[in-house]
Amino acid sequence: MSESRRIRLAPILLEAGFVVLGVFLALVANEWRADANARERAASARAGVIEEIRNNRETVRQMRDYHAHLIDTLRTFPSDGPAPSPRVFHRGFANAATTLSTAWEAANATDAVSHMNFDDVLAFSALYAEQRRYEQVTQEIGSVIFGELFARGTFGVTERYRSLADLNGSLLYLEHALVSAYDSVLVHLDEPD
């Protein structure tokens, strides 16, 4: 009887081994698929962030050029002469670039960042911190100008065009630094790993 029992246990153990092996292979395949999906999401998020950086760079570059032109124009007015027309400020008294961080925030929110290269994440983080600093300064400058607009009116603000030139000079400085930071990150991202 014990001999027949061994014969019957062998196929059962063999079948159980196949079931365990099948479950193990299914788990490995699921893990591989999950990792592949995570890598794909990370690559897609990285591409979106890079595109956002390129667009932000162009937006900031355009405002940098506007501020440089505005400052040069304001310097042509003599200090003892009439104030410039408000039309000189056709893009605002101290208009700033509107930068986006949507792709970066989405990459963080979806945890795609955890599957990106650490050096890339570090470069992105530093760049977006620099961008936030620019946004904070521009908000402060905007608050000052809006306060002056309410207190003095449009022509009262244009009479203080030298101060406006200084404020725009601050924006110009920050925009030079931000464009340089964008360029630095883009060069870093183009380097082979």
Side-chain angles (χ1 to χ4, degrees):
M1 182 125 177
S2 94
E3 185 68 32
S4 66
R5 251 194 129 127
R6 279 191 195 158
I7 294 173
R8 285 188 240 156
L9 284 178
I12 292 171
L13 290 176
L14 185 61
E15 192 171 323
F18 282 130
V19 168
V20 169
L21 180 62
V23 169
F24 174 75
L25 290 176
L27 289 173
V28 168
N30 281 340
E31 184 68 26
W32 178 83
R33 238 178 299 156
D35 285 347
N37 286 340
R39 285 190 304 274
E40 186 177 312
R41 279 193 318 276
S44 178
R46 181 183 187 272
V49 170
I50 291 170
E51 183 64 24
E52 182 172 76
I53 289 170
R54 289 183 206 281
N55 291 336
N56 286 342
R57 184 206 178 278
E58 181 59 21
T59 301
V60 172
R61 185 202 57 78
Q62 288 174 5
M63 289 311 296
R64 179 196 66 190
D65 293 349
Y66 166 72
H67 289 129
H69 175 73
L70 181 60
I71 291 167
D72 289 343
T73 301
L74 293 175
R75 286 184 182 149
T76 64
F77 287 89
S79 58
D80 59 349
S85 163
R87 291 184 201 150
V88 169
F89 305 94
H90 66 278
R91 290 180 110 179
F93 290 116
N95 196 6
T98 302
T99 56
L100 300 176
S101 58
T102 309
W104 177 241
E105 291 169 8
N108 278 292
T110 60
D111 201 33
V113 170
S114 67
H115 298 281
M116 288 183 187
N117 175 292
F118 180 75
D119 289 337
D120 290 353
V121 172
L122 197 59
F124 292 149
S125 296
L127 179 62
Y128 280 97
E130 184 76 18
Q131 188 172 290
R132 278 190 305 278
R133 186 177 86 111
Y134 171 75
E135 291 166 357
Q136 289 170 342
V137 170
T138 60
Q139 286 176 354
E140 291 171 13
I141 289 173
S143 294
V144 168
I145 290 175
F146 281 126
E148 288 295 307
L149 277 171
F150 285 119
R152 300 174 185 271
T154 302
F155 291 101
V157 171
T158 57
E159 289 174 354
R160 302 186 73 190
Y161 66 93
R162 296 258 182 233
S163 296
L164 288 172
D166 292 341
L167 288 175
N168 280 282
S170 297
L171 289 175
L172 180 64
Y173 173 80
L174 292 171
E175 288 157 352
H176 274 298
L178 193 51
V179 168
S180 179
Y182 288 133
D183 290 343
S184 179
V185 167
L186 290 170
V187 165
H188 161 78
L189 295 171
D190 287 339
E191 292 176 356
D193 289 333

